[in-house]
Amino acid sequence: MPSGARPARPGVGGAFRGAAGPGCDNGAMNERGPIESWLSDMDGVLVHEGHAIPGAAEFLDALRSSGKPFLVLTNNSIYTRRDLSARLGSLGLRVPAEAIFTSALATAAFLAGQRPEGSAYVIGEAGLTTALHEAGFVLTDLDPDYVVLGETRTYSFSQITRAIRLIEAGARFVATNPDPVGPSMEGSLPATGAVAAMITRATGVAPYFVGKPNPLMMRTALNVVGGHSESTAMVGDRMDTDVVAGVEAGLETILVLSGVTRSDEVERFPYRPSRVLDSIADVVPLVGA
Ligand SMILES: [Mg+2]
């Protein structure tokens, strides 16, 4: 059962009658104006296991020709936006670097607002170190304001030990995203949330997670596109990150079933997306609407 799921079927008594299923609309939620700007998750929506999902290229083409602002949002903090733009391009998906927003960028924006020209000890890859540098942070292991943990494929015992000692000495603990595992072609990989749990276990200090499902990521993205919550849609494949963060940020939410969520899992959650569609191909007609 997914986290946040309810053991009993909701809707008994009719409060949730007409729960969203594939192709169904949540009528009350759709009494909104037209969608003027778009946010979209990446994995499970536009790409899946190294392939473009059918309809993704058409969705991006429709956005471009509509002139509506959009951002591709990802909790992946390994890559810079230029890296991700190139990776998507190699799959036939044209997304300019400026239209990509990662949990690393959200974390850097958050920290720059909290403590301008602050300092951080970083465990992470270029996506995170570049974002923090560009936000005016100094990266150091000498008395930093923050320990910032992101995703990496080369976690080292000495780095984790250093992070633990700095937190014990008073550094604040921030992490890009809470995901415990990430996908790879060979199977699951331990991700930021799993390593954060190890540091928390050792220090007794829990991190502040900036990425999805923190609605801060959505609100920061809204500011980046210059959008308003009531006229912005979020497309995602996860109920417990994309949809809940979109709901909390006041967005229209569209769940697609091309990623990790099956249609029979949707109504187990205490929150619902505005729409449930099979894939991004079904979202294309909504772009011009
Ligand atoms: Mg996803």
Side-chain angles (χ1 to χ4, degrees), residues 33-285:
I35 299 167
E36 302 293 353
S37 51
W38 288 81
L39 306 178
S40 174
D41 179 37
M42 190 170 75
D43 284 311
V45 176
L46 304 178
V47 297
H48 190 58
E49 295 180 347
H51 298 283
I53 291 176
E58 291 77 7
F59 173 66
L60 295 166
D61 284 344
L63 285 172
R64 253 188 307 278
S65 50
S66 74
K68 290 175 181 171
F70 72 98
L71 272 186
V72 173
L73 296 189
T74 176
N75 263 0
N76 185 323
S77 65
I78 290 185
Y79 303 107
T80 67
R81 54 170 84 189
R82 285 177 56 200
D83 296 335
L84 287 170
S85 175
R87 292 171 79 89
L88 291 169
S90 73
L91 303 178
L93 301 179
R94 284 203 300 137
V95 182
E98 315 81 67
I100 295 173
F101 194 64
T102 69
S103 64
L105 291 166
T107 299
F110 165 72
L111 291 177
Q114 290 278 307
R115 193 168 287 257
E117 299 176 10
S119 60
Y121 176 69
V122 175
I123 300 178
E125 302 283 339
L128 183 56
T129 55
T130 302
L132 284 165
H133 268 139
E134 289 179 352
F137 259 60
V138 172
L139 306 192
T140 177
D141 61 358
L142 295 173
D143 194 26
D145 298 319
Y146 300 94
V147 165
V148 183
L149 174 68
E151 189 132 1
T152 155
R153 297 289 147 74
T154 57
Y155 291 112
S156 78
F157 188 78
S158 64
Q159 280 186 313
I160 291 168
T161 302
R162 170 63 71 177
I164 287 167
R165 292 176 184 169
L166 291 170
I167 291 167
E168 285 174 341
R172 300 150 191 90
F173 186 19
V174 169
T176 53
N177 62 298
D179 304 52
V181 291
S184 82
M185 300 298 242
E186 295 82 35
S188 293
L189 293 169
T192 313
V195 179
M198 178 162 44
I199 295 172
T200 295
R201 182 73 171 152
T203 59
V205 177
Y208 181 66
F209 291 110
V210 177
K212 296 178 290 186
N214 189 339
L216 183 66
M217 175 128 170
M218 301 284 167
R219 297 208 187 97
T220 310
L222 273 182
N223 289 339
V224 171
V225 295
H228 297 285
S229 57
E230 62 270 22
S231 59
T232 300
M234 170 69 200
V235 187
D237 71 315
R238 284 194 78 100
M239 290 293 290
D240 59 1
T241 56
D242 304 312
V243 170
V244 73
V247 166
E248 290 181 3
L251 311 183
E252 174 153 351
T253 52
I254 301 174
L255 179 78
V256 289
L257 301 174
S258 50
V260 300
T261 307
R262 296 193 318 265
S263 62
D264 63 345
E265 295 170 329
V266 176
E267 63 177 295
R268 290 177 169 272
F269 290 84
Y271 39 81
R272 288 197 293 174
S274 316
R275 302 167 194 260
V276 181
L277 300 171
D278 284 334
S279 79
I280 195 70
D282 299 315
V283 183
V284 177

